[in-house]
Amino acid sequence: MISDPGMVMIGGAVRVGLGLAIVIGHDIWSGGVLPVAITLFGWALYLSGLLLLFAAQERLSPYWTA
């Protein structure tokens, strides 16, 4: 998947969408460990999606190829 730029963009867009959905729907920073962990997971998903969308493929490919 990492060798196809179109698939990387689709994966990044899906991650951004899911991350935004979690952050907008569950932006809770108090109430225990689990709500904060879910919010942090949403932010991590969103930021990793942005990385996939805007980072150059040549910079990402060394991390996923053997």
Side-chain angles (χ1 to χ4, degrees), residues 2 8-9 11-12 15 47-55 60 64:
I2 195 68
V8 171
M9 285 193 76
R15 282 183 181 210
L47 294 174
S48 68
L50 286 179
L51 176 71
L52 285 177
L53 280 177
F54 295 112
L60 291 176
W64 283 294

Side-chain angles (χ1 to χ4, degrees), residues 33-54:
V33 175
L34 187 60
V36 173
I38 292 171
T39 301
L40 287 174
F41 175 73
W43 277 106
L45 198 61
Y46 173 69
L47 294 174
S48 68
L50 286 179
L51 176 71
L52 285 177
L53 280 177
F54 295 112

Side-chain angles (χ1 to χ4, degrees), residues 3-40:
S3 63
D4 185 13
M7 290 300 289
V8 171
M9 285 193 76
I10 290 172
V14 168
R15 282 183 181 210
V16 166
L18 290 175
L20 277 177
I22 292 172
V23 168
I24 291 171
H26 196 276
D27 194 20
I28 299 172
W29 292 101
S30 61
V33 175
L34 187 60
V36 173
I38 292 171
T39 301
L40 287 174

